[in-house]
Amino acid sequence: MFPKIPYGESNFKKVIEEGFVYIDKTDYIPKLEAAGSHIFLLRPRRFGKSLFLSMLEYYYDVARKDEFETLFGKLYIGQHPTPLRNTYPVLFMDFTGIDTEGGHEAIFQRINEKVDTYLLSFLRRYAYPEATQQEIKAKTSPAAKIEHFFDLLEGEKILFLIDEYDHFANSILADDLKLFQKIMGKGGFVRSFYEVLKTATQRGVLDRLFVTGVTPLMLDSMTSGFNIGKNLSLHEDFNEAIGFTEAEVSTLLQPLADHCRLGLETLREDARLWYNGYRFNLKADT
């Protein structure tokens, strides 16, 4: 019987509960905690970043405490949990799917709506009063919304997960360098958004931040606007945190090799031709 491959599935709970193959990457959780509080881990598209982020959400979310054994019991972290397990309210944002046509004002409006949606979802999920949601809606920019959000949470500590932080920015950069600079540079609304995050870390409300994306270009463009993030993307210890090694791929190919009466090495050669060669540190394996 062939394994259920979770291609296109990025919800960790669904993958575990519906019996999809899951290559256990949970042993990286203690390493990430030890590496720092504000982490960037960048990888190419279709590498499994969103599933990795979803796994972190279920692990840390205080509202998912009762699901820990079901979701993580058979995984490394289920046997070796850290003290931070299920201790945070989790704010999640995903910046894919933003149409970058229409110029500055149109992009501003679309990102503003995204931020609004995710902040309101957080407030509803953790049972904040309806009045707080209206206060967020009344703010007119992403920076103003998130700043007021952190004011509301004064005295608490949250985990913030951001998926594909640069997805829209890369599209803008490909089409219009001046617009990219206007949005990301000093006074730009995206840079202002991240400046608020920096302030929130200093105040202690934003206790931990984990960000995925494809390139460091947007991060570099913001310079001092957000200079507290630690980029682990090229660190040898995290080379294999997201994505499959050849040994892991071989375990997935073996049932196909057996069924089709093909040599495993033949299948591996095809896989190497199309997908091999990623290496994020010169000392690491591909």
Side-chain angles (χ1 to χ4, degrees), residues 1-5 19 21 23 246-265 267-268:
M1 184 175 179
F2 294 116
K4 290 176 66 176
I5 306 298
V21 171
I23 302 298
E246 182 166 317
E248 291 165 346
V249 170
S250 294
T251 65
L252 300 177
L253 290 176
Q254 187 66 61
L256 183 63
D258 295 341
H259 181 80
C260 297
R261 299 179 182 177
L262 293 171
L264 179 61
E265 186 56 34
L267 295 178
R268 276 203 298 244

Side-chain angles (χ1 to χ4, degrees), residues 178-195:
K178 289 185 177 179
L179 179 58
F180 177 87
Q181 293 170 329
K182 182 178 181 180
I183 290 174
M184 309 300 162
K186 187 174 182 180
F189 69 86
V190 171
R191 177 163 170 171
S192 297
F193 177 84
Y194 280 91
E195 286 173 346

Side-chain angles (χ1 to χ4, degrees), residues 185-238:
K186 187 174 182 180
F189 69 86
V190 171
R191 177 163 170 171
S192 297
F193 177 84
Y194 280 91
E195 286 173 346
V196 174
L197 300 193
K198 180 179 177 180
T199 300
T201 64
Q202 295 166 345
R203 292 167 54 191
V205 180
L206 181 49
D207 193 52
R208 286 188 172 268
L209 174 71
F210 187 86
V211 182
T212 73
V214 176
T215 78
L217 292 175
M218 188 173 119
L219 182 61
D220 291 343
S221 297
M222 292 187 295
T223 58
S224 62
F226 191 78
N227 58 5
I228 61 168
K230 189 172 184 180
N231 189 350
L232 298 179
S233 305
L234 304 182
H235 197 290
E236 183 180 5
D237 292 344
F238 296 93

Side-chain angles (χ1 to χ4, degrees), residues 42-151:
L42 310 176
R43 288 294 182 266
R45 304 208 184 286
R46 311 308 302 174
F47 243 68
K49 299 187 297 295
S50 297
L51 180 58
F52 189 84
L53 212 63
S54 179
M55 179 270 290
L56 294 180
E57 180 177 8
Y58 279 94
Y59 178 75
Y60 286 110
D61 191 349
V62 66
R64 306 281 188 181
K65 190 177 295 186
D66 293 341
E67 300 177 86
F68 179 80
E69 187 59 35
T70 299
L71 298 179
F72 294 97
K74 296 180 181 180
L75 303 177
Y76 173 89
I77 202 66
Q79 308 300 316
H80 309 88
T82 66
L84 293 178
R85 175 198 117 183
N86 298 123
T87 58
Y88 287 104
V90 178
L91 174 63
F92 172 85
M93 290 189 184
D94 175 5
F95 285 108
T96 58
I98 295 174
D99 184 0
T100 56
E101 299 294 326
H104 181 276
E105 291 307 315
I107 296 169
F108 173 90
Q109 186 59 36
R110 291 167 192 141
I111 293 177
N112 201 39
E113 290 170 356
K114 274 247 182 189
V115 170
D116 199 56
T117 297
Y118 287 120
L119 294 181
L120 296 181
S121 176
F122 178 99
L123 294 174
R124 286 192 295 268
R125 186 162 181 228
Y126 297 105
Y128 282 80
E130 174 68 26
T132 62
Q133 299 174 39
Q134 298 305 319
E135 290 172 18
I136 295 293
K137 287 182 179 179
K139 301 300 178 182
T140 58
S141 72
K145 287 179 183 295
I146 194 94
E147 183 174 32
H148 189 69
F149 172 81
F150 287 128
D151 287 340

Side-chain angles (χ1 to χ4, degrees), residues 26-44:
T26 62
D27 57 320
Y28 282 95
I29 289 177
K31 298 174 186 177
L32 287 170
E33 290 184 4
S37 297
H38 315 114
I39 302 298
F40 280 74
L41 191 55
L42 310 176
R43 288 294 182 266

